[in-house]
């Protein structure tokens, strides 16, 4: 009986071992882990967003200059010269305001941490008008007489747009430091009012210049700057940026000052204003990164 139990157990153990060995030789039906290629760079692709900040003038003055273009007789040269000198100077037009708008761009990440791209934006500018006035009272060539000159001027930028290249480096995988530069354009406006008179002039004489000149034009120039952009959430980034823009200088006619003795024109002076449209922009922005065109994830078996 004892020998029978031992023989039965030995047979069962041998069968179990043989079955396990055969099962180990069979092909496995479990699929190998899927092949996942590395994700595309988070910065490559289109982005769009909004921005807001402040803008202020770099050139903080509007100059005005008067010069004779007609003098009737040598005796009127001192009067023409005095009127021209007192009709020349500058007015402070140091304006600042709020700027806000949107941007659209495309970036390519390459060589690991480098990034190159393009970006275009357009912003409205509110409260940017800088205006001031100056009044002078100077002695005239004739004793006891004075030349009174009053000039008021202002300038503003109604909107500002740019089309720029960007070149940067990823300080960390989520923090980009970049430089940027390219084309700038905007609607620039400047107005200057001019008044010149001799309040206590002799009877029969009239020296008077009173008019306003205005310049308004869409100007094209350049811009350059830099910034930092932080990818704080997948496909979302925040940035802070500084830009300097220069839309060039503009000159425009303002007034004609004439001096009469009854019906006899003694001299005539022309006054012109000149200003430059340039400034600084500091703004923050929020971008959404679309990452269109990224390579799909493919599993291989």
């Amino acid at each position: 009986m004892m020998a029978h139990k031992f023989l039965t157990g030995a047979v069962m153990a041998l069968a179990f071992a043989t079955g396990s060995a055969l099962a180990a030789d069979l092909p496995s039906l479990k699929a190998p882990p899927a092949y996942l290629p590395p994700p595309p760079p988070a910065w490559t692709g289109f982005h769009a967003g909004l921005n807001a900040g402040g803008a202020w003038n770099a050139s903080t003055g509007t100059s005005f200059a008067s010069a004779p273009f007609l003098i009737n007789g040598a005796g009127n040269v001192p009067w023409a010269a005095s009127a021209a000198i007192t009709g020349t100077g500058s007015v402070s037009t140091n304006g600042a305001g709020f700027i806000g708008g949107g941007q659209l761009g495309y970036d390519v990440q390459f060589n690991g941490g480098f990034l190159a791209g393009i970006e275009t934006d357009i912003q409205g500018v509110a409260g940017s008008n800088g205006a001031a006035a100056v009044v002078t009272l100077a002695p005239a060539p004739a004793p006891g007489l004075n030349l009174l000159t009053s000039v008021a001027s202002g300038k503003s930028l109604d909107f500002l747009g740019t089309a720029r290249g960007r070149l940067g480096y990823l300080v960390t995988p989520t923090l980009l430091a970049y430089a940027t530069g390219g084309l700038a354009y905007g609607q620039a406006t400047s107005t200057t009012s001019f008044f010149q008179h001799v309040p206590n002039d002799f009877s029969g004489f009239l020296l008077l210049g009173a008019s306003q000149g205005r310049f308004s034009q869409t100007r094209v120039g350049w811009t350059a700057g830099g910034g930092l952009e932080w990818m704080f959430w997948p496909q979302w980034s925040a940035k802070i940026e500084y830009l300097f823009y220069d839309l060039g200088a503009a000159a425009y006619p303002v007034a004609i000052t004439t001096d009469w003795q009854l019906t006899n024109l003694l001299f005539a002076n022309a006054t012109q204003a000149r200003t430059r449209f340039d400034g600084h922009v500091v703004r923050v922005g929020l971008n959404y990164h679309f990452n269109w065109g990224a390579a799909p994830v493919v599993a291989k078996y």
Side-chain angles (χ1 to χ4, degrees):
M1 187 68 175
M2 198 68 162
H4 176 72
K5 288 182 177 181
F6 176 80
L7 181 60
T8 302
V11 170
M12 291 179 64
L14 179 61
F16 177 79
T18 304
S20 299
L22 291 174
D25 292 337
L26 292 175
S28 173
L29 296 179
K30 183 180 179 182
Y35 170 72
L36 299 176
W43 295 88
T44 294
F46 287 94
H47 65 267
L50 301 174
N51 68 76
W56 64 97
N57 295 334
S59 298
T60 58
T62 296
S63 61
F64 55 93
S66 297
F69 67 89
L70 186 152
I71 302 177
N72 188 9
N76 296 313
V77 171
W79 279 93
S82 296
I85 291 170
T86 56
T88 299
S90 65
V91 183
S92 175
T93 48
N94 187 19
F98 170 83
I99 188 169
Q103 66 270 351
L104 174 67
Y106 183 81
D107 295 312
V108 176
Q109 185 179 337
F110 63 98
N111 286 355
F114 290 94
L115 180 139
I118 55 174
E119 187 173 79
T120 182
D121 59 72
I122 189 166
Q123 294 78 215
V125 185
S128 67
N129 185 58
V134 294
V135 178
T136 60
L137 189 64
L145 299 183
N146 296 294
L147 276 163
L148 173 67
T149 305
S150 174
V151 181
S153 188
K155 70 176 178 179
S156 64
L157 189 67
D158 300 323
F159 69 85
L160 178 68
T162 74
R164 298 168 285 107
R166 293 208 309 172
L167 183 63
Y169 181 75
L170 291 169
V171 181
T172 72
T174 58
L175 181 62
L176 173 70
Y178 64 90
T180 183
L183 180 78
Y185 59 94
Q187 180 69 30
T189 302
S190 176
T191 58
T192 301
S193 300
F194 183 88
F195 176 79
Q196 194 168 56
H197 185 51
V198 179
N200 54 345
D201 207 352
F202 301 133
S203 178
F205 288 83
L206 178 62
L207 187 152
L208 181 64
S211 188
Q212 183 186 76
R214 185 175 188 271
F215 174 88
S216 184
Q217 187 182 75
T218 300
R219 307 278 293 178
V220 177
W222 61 272
T223 183
L228 294 172
E229 189 166 358
W230 172 43
M231 190 82 71
F232 64 90
W233 196 259
Q235 295 183 278
W236 288 95
S237 68
K239 70 174 183 177
I240 182 168
E241 186 175 67
Y242 164 79
L243 293 176
F244 177 84
Y245 68 88
D246 189 345
L247 303 181
Y252 55 97
V254 175
I256 300 293
T257 300
T258 57
D259 190 15
W260 296 83
Q261 181 185 14
L262 298 177
T263 59
N264 184 27
L265 179 60
L266 304 180
F267 73 86
N269 286 358
T271 302
Q272 186 181 67
R274 186 181 188 277
T275 192
R276 189 169 199 91
F277 299 99
D278 58 1
H280 310 275
V281 174
V282 173
R283 60 189 180 182
V284 294
L286 181 69
N287 281 326
Y288 179 79
H289 297 255
F290 295 95
N291 302 131
W292 292 336
V297 175
V298 179
K300 294 182 179 179
Y301 295 90

